[in-house]
Amino acid sequence: MKILCLHGAGTSGNATKRPLLAPLAYELGESDDVRFLFLDGPVECEPARGIVEQFDGPYYRYFDRDAPHINQLRGLNRMLSTSTNTSPEDAAREILKGGLADLQSSRACDFVEHYLDQHVEEPFDGVLGFSEGASVAASLMFRRAAQGQNVFKFAIFICGLSAFASDKNAPILADETPLRIDVPTVHIIGGRDPARLPSLTLYNLCNPSLASIFDHGKGHTIPWGLSTSDMAKEIRGVIQRSRHGSSTDDKE
């Protein structure tokens, strides 16, 4: 079982590997036979907040160097989260009301797709994306879904950001399209994450009968501690659903 891992903006595969793999590998166990392969983004950029103290550079991202960073969502997302009437899609439109620097979403998807083409003899079964990595993974999956194809058998999105259309610089929102990502997905979100609402736009883009959601209760981070075992359980569940073609309604 091969899983492609895409990191967040201003980090790297190496910086994501240590906090993610050690606890997950322990919880999943060898019997799951899961291999995680990390792909660094093609754009070198400034480090994410707090990353320098933990990991040496260089630091990368998949979107353009000048694209918005998660830190720019913090204040506005907090304000929007206080309104019980704000849908995730309305929140995304509000966040982007002032305009958006060109993300180069199509180029980011092309980069990942080229990497996948190098592994056609032993293709990836699934994808795991954190933050911007989740956005890129979902953007590529949505692009392929529009062509009637599934590029992965399942997806794991951790603190994901909205998916973006390849042909225009705009988020893909569930209330603007009937198309859905139609493979098993698990959405691991943080109750205190400034990207909580964008994470939910990603959840809403997926087939609801195949999607599950788990709130680790923390911020924009890969959770440690007690929530790790719960996260591993969700990941094990989405893998099993991809193998057996079952929906979330079939979970025990």
Side-chain angles (χ1 to χ4, degrees):
M1 176 71 66
K2 283 176 63 176
I3 300 178
L4 174 65
C5 299
L6 305 179
H7 59 78
T11 62
S12 66
N14 184 56
T16 308
K17 187 182 302 183
R18 192 185 306 171
L20 177 67
L21 281 198
L24 269 186
Y26 174 79
E27 293 290 346
L28 288 172
E30 294 181 1
S31 61
D32 290 85
D33 190 30
V34 177
R35 286 187 292 153
F36 296 93
L37 281 77
F38 289 78
L39 174 64
D40 283 334
V43 180
E44 192 167 345
C45 65
E46 292 297 312
R49 189 170 74 173
I51 203 73
V52 173
E53 293 80 7
Q54 303 178 60
F55 302 100
D56 294 331
Y59 311 100
Y60 302 99
R61 70 183 309 177
Y62 303 95
F63 289 144
D64 189 73
R65 186 189 312 274
D66 297 323
H69 193 275
I70 180 62
N71 291 341
Q72 296 174 252
L73 291 174
R74 294 183 189 277
L76 182 56
N77 194 78
R78 256 187 240 110
M79 177 186 73
L80 292 170
S81 297
T82 61
S83 172
T84 57
N85 297 320
T86 302
S87 72
E89 290 73 28
D90 285 341
R93 282 185 281 267
E94 185 66 28
I95 288 170
L96 300 174
K97 187 177 289 184
L100 181 68
D102 191 355
L103 300 179
Q104 295 291 330
S105 174
S106 180
R107 186 179 66 183
C109 289
D110 289 344
F111 171 76
V112 176
E113 204 158 30
H114 177 70
Y115 182 74
L116 295 177
D117 288 342
Q118 298 173 9
H119 292 259
V120 290
E121 294 185 2
E122 191 182 353
F124 286 91
D125 297 285
V127 63
L128 183 153
F130 172 73
S131 189
E132 181 172 292
S135 176
V136 173
S139 301
L140 175 57
M141 293 176 74
F142 202 86
R143 182 165 81 175
R144 285 289 193 90
Q147 301 167 358
Q149 304 170 356
N150 288 324
V151 64
F152 299 108
K153 298 174 184 176
F154 64 88
I156 302 154
F157 300 125
I158 304 176
C159 297
L161 304 181
S162 301
F164 282 83
S166 293
D167 58 346
K168 58 181 179 179
N169 195 46
I172 307 168
L173 302 175
D175 60 1
E176 296 178 359
T177 177
L179 192 62
R180 294 292 180 266
I181 293 174
D182 198 29
V183 299
T185 58
V186 59
H187 303 257
I188 298 169
I189 67 171
R192 292 182 287 164
D193 184 2
R196 182 180 65 85
L197 290 173
S199 291
L200 293 175
T201 68
L202 197 49
Y203 173 76
N204 290 343
L205 271 181
C206 299
N207 182 332
S209 69
L210 297 174
S212 62
I213 192 164
F214 169 67
D215 187 344
H216 62 62
K218 300 178 182 179
H220 196 73
T221 185
I222 297 170
W224 286 76
L226 294 176
S227 56
T228 305
S229 60
D230 292 323
M231 184 170 70
K233 180 180 178 181
E234 293 292 337
I235 291 173
R236 190 179 295 111
V238 78
I239 291 173
Q240 290 174 346
R241 295 200 302 277
S242 73
R243 286 171 170 165
H244 304 300
S246 58
S247 72
T248 54
D249 295 332
D250 299 322
K251 293 192 298 181
E252 295 182 0

